[in-house]
């Protein structure tokens, strides 16, 4: 059974930082492209960042220079470091694992507000 468990969400003030983690089990983690997506209320889910099995990264334009995705294959975990957070970053953040199949986590809420 594949599980992706996100953690690290919460309430943060504008300009603050958070680091989200996603621990995977039930997959050969090192083979998967891992990603973070987000969905704000009333909006479609959108790509935030991805990292391939070869550590190639891709970022949405709206997070470039602020967010950094990374992975630790020894811990089966993918991270996203989020800096300079803005109220528009408020969303549920989802972890995604993609190889031949695609899997999603349950999401973690990030709220950026003063």
């Amino acid at each position: 059974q594949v599980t992706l468990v996100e953690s690290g969400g919460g309430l943060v003030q504008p300009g603050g930082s958070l680091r989200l983690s996603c621990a995977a089990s039930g997959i050969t983690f090192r083979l998967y492209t891992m990603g973070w997506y987000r969905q704000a209320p009333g909006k479609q889910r959108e790509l935030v960042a991805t990292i391939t099995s070869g550590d190639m990264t891709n970022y949405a334009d709206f997070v470039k220079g602020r967010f950094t995705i990374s992975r630790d294959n020894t811990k089966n975990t993918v991270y996203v470091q989020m800096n300079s957070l803005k109220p528009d970053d408020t969303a549920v953040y989802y972890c995604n694992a993609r190889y031949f199949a695609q899997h999603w986590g349950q999401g973690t809420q990030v709220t950026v507000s003063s």
Side-chain angles (χ1 to χ4, degrees):
Q1 181 180 357
V2 178
T3 60
L4 301 175
V5 180
E6 300 100 333
S7 60
L11 173 64
V12 63
Q13 292 187 342
S17 298
L18 283 176
R19 188 176 83 151
L20 305 183
S21 301
C22 170
S25 61
I27 60 173
T28 306
F29 182 82
R30 60 182 173 81
L31 298 178
Y32 277 68
T33 290
M34 300 300 297
W36 288 95
Y37 291 72
R38 72 185 189 186
Q39 188 167 17
K43 295 187 177 181
Q44 291 188 329
R45 192 172 297 189
E46 60 185 359
L47 170 72
V48 174
T50 60
I51 183 166
T52 69
S53 58
D55 287 340
M56 293 185 65
T57 58
N58 179 56
Y59 295 92
D61 286 344
F62 54 78
V63 302
K64 283 182 180 177
R66 300 189 299 125
F67 291 11
T68 303
I69 190 170
S70 61
R71 65 191 296 160
D72 185 340
N73 291 343
T74 67
K75 296 181 179 179
N76 288 0
T77 300
V78 62
Y79 307 93
V80 61
Q81 176 68 42
M82 307 187 296
N83 299 327
S84 302
L85 284 162
K86 307 174 182 179
D88 284 350
D89 294 318
T90 295
V92 177
Y93 283 71
Y94 295 92
C95 179
N96 175 270
R98 176 167 51 86
Y99 188 42
F100 289 106
Q102 181 168 240
H103 308 283
W104 293 93
Q106 82 287 352
T108 185
Q109 176 69 47
V110 171
T111 303
V112 184
S113 174
S114 55

